[in-house]
Amino acid sequence: MSVILGIESSCDETAAALVTSDRQILAHKLAGQEAVHAPFGGVVPEIAARAHAEIITPLIEAALAEANLKLDQVDAIAATAGPGLIGGVMVGLVTGKALAMAADKPLIAVNHLEGHALSPRLANPELDFPYLLLLASGGHCQILRVEGAGQYRRLATTIDDAAGEAFDKTAKILGLGYPGGPKVEALAKTGNAAAVPLPRPLKGSKEPHFSFAGLKSAVVRAHQSCEYKSEDIASSFQQAVVDCLKDRLEKAIADHGAVPHLVVAGGVAANGPIRSMLEQVASDHGMQFTAPPLWLCTDNAAMIAWAGAERFAAGLTDTLDFAARPRWPLDPAAEKARGAGVKA
Ligand code: KG4
Ligand code: ZN
């Protein structure tokens, strides 16, 4: 059994965790930055990087103390090396490198998306490769076929905004504040999902990808028209996202075949109606639905430590000159999707 220290700092959570190769979570610590970004209605990269730098060392110390471990009892150090806000990624990666060098331990440079993609296996020992994964977060919206640690086939991606980004922008338009997803979901509960006519971009399209920018623009127009109540806009928006995700997943299953498990990861997986839709799609296709617990869906370091554990077991370690990557597709062989803002 090996013990992996995981470090995460690619967006607006600083996190440190200790996880074993047999799935024990010995400690996980997380410091959010909501208060410092809230006045700006979104994450400000420079502020994020500084906030990571201030807290990361005490957070790692606190994780080691909680696990009752010393650094030299750790087998490897896994740090998110991208994709994400480069200043923040560098803070975590440089910290990981310094600890690896000081303690003479191997470094594992983890792709944040791989952390999300493998996190369901930390929660569910029965989840074997391959599985179909909907990865929906603030920065990404992809359907992946996960074939093993480091082995991914990207079946779909977004050609503009990510699903979580659409939630965050809708929250901003409706004046709900940041982070938007949970606030839109809460407001949507009191609204009518059929009240506001909103588009379902790319629904039924032969192209396998997602698009949410047009939906966001339609939310802006609906709001500006003053014809609709905010809760009806929130509810109709959420329903449009559910419909788009469902349509694209159905297409991926039709085009590439069903596998035993349908899995969801990323912050958007916290959304109740989206989870219910996924359960239904899975049961319609004879697949089992797996979702990690909510705390493991949003950004955290346990998923980075676990991805580190899977890579360590496969003999995949990195050298100390590994450079932080603001963009880092999980499937480098995937065909480039059209769209100026395509991230992976
Ligand atoms: O994975 P994550 O924590 O960070 C990224 O890597 O992006 O995902 C955060 C995203 C945000 O866009 C947030 O609004 C969204 O996940 N989110 C939700 C919910 N909770 C978080 N979206 C919809 N419904 C939710 N309940
Ligand atoms: Zn994430």
Side-chain angles (χ1 to χ4, degrees):
M1 184 199 69
S2 48
V3 181
I4 312 291
L5 168 64
I7 301 171
E8 160 61 32
S9 60
S10 65
C11 191
D12 59 343
E13 332 277 357
T14 322
L18 287 144
V19 171
T20 68
S21 52
D22 60 0
R23 293 184 168 82
Q24 294 172 63
I25 299 165
L26 302 177
H28 73 97
K29 294 278 174 197
L30 192 132
Q33 304 179 351
E34 279 177 29
V36 291
H37 298 297
F40 306 97
V43 179
V44 183
E46 271 306 311
I47 296 178
R50 247 174 290 155
H52 288 306
E54 277 165 19
I55 194 114
I56 200 153
T57 307
L59 210 64
I60 293 169
E61 282 168 354
L64 285 165
E66 186 173 299
N68 207 11
L69 287 175
K70 299 256 176 289
L71 188 60
D72 61 10
Q73 292 171 289
V74 165
D75 294 287
I77 294 160
T80 299
L85 301 173
I86 192 68
V89 172
M90 284 174 71
V91 169
L93 182 59
V94 167
T95 304
K97 286 178 180 179
L99 294 176
M101 193 150 90
D104 196 19
K105 303 289 177 185
L107 172 78
I108 302 163
V110 173
N111 183 317
H112 178 87
L113 302 176
E114 180 162 47
H116 280 302
L118 297 177
S119 65
R121 282 170 48 81
L122 170 58
N124 180 0
E126 253 119 68
L127 178 59
D128 289 325
F129 301 119
Y131 51 87
L132 194 67
L133 173 77
L134 172 67
L135 174 56
S137 71
H140 297 276
C141 190
Q142 305 191 352
I143 302 173
L144 293 157
R145 197 180 140 102
V146 181
E147 290 170 351
Q151 293 172 269
Y152 305 91
R153 271 179 60 208
R154 195 204 69 197
L155 310 182
T157 188
T158 177
I159 62 168
D160 40 56
D161 292 351
E165 196 174 356
F167 270 94
D168 292 334
K169 287 178 176 170
T170 294
K172 204 168 176 181
I173 294 160
L174 298 179
L176 302 178
Y178 162 87
K183 295 196 166 151
V184 171
E185 182 179 4
L187 184 62
K189 284 202 177 92
T190 61
N192 173 359
V196 188
L198 292 173
R200 270 73 175 148
L202 292 187
K203 187 169 175 217
S205 152
K206 279 206 197 100
E207 197 177 16
H209 302 306
F210 298 96
S211 168
F212 293 105
L215 177 57
K216 172 198 63 191
S217 307
V219 167
V220 172
R221 286 192 296 274
H223 178 64
Q224 284 173 345
S225 76
C226 299
E227 279 177 47
Y228 305 104
K229 290 192 277 187
S230 288
E231 57 267 38
D232 290 343
I233 297 178
S235 187
S236 302
F237 160 79
Q238 183 172 260
Q239 187 57 49
V241 175
V242 167
D243 292 349
C244 291
L245 294 175
K246 178 170 194 284
D247 180 69
R248 308 290 66 201
L249 269 169
E250 299 271 9
K251 176 163 174 60
I253 295 168
D255 289 354
H256 301 278
V259 283
H261 288 268
L262 174 65
V263 175
V264 67
V268 178
N271 185 279
I274 292 175
R275 281 191 180 225
S276 311
M277 173 277 289
L278 293 170
E279 270 171 44
Q280 189 58 51
V281 169
S283 98
D284 289 349
H285 294 276
M287 299 165 81
Q288 273 195 332
F289 176 61
T290 297
L294 291 185
W295 73 268
L296 204 50
C297 281
T298 48
D299 286 352
N300 65 84
M303 70 180 192
I304 303 303
W306 175 253
E310 294 234 26
R311 292 186 77 83
F312 191 57
L316 301 168
T317 60
D318 297 283
T319 51
L320 292 180
D321 59 357
F322 195 101
R325 297 185 61 174
R327 292 190 175 205
W328 186 0
L330 268 184
D331 176 5
E335 209 175 290
K336 200 176 175 322
R338 72 181 165 102
V342 174
K343 294 176 182 107

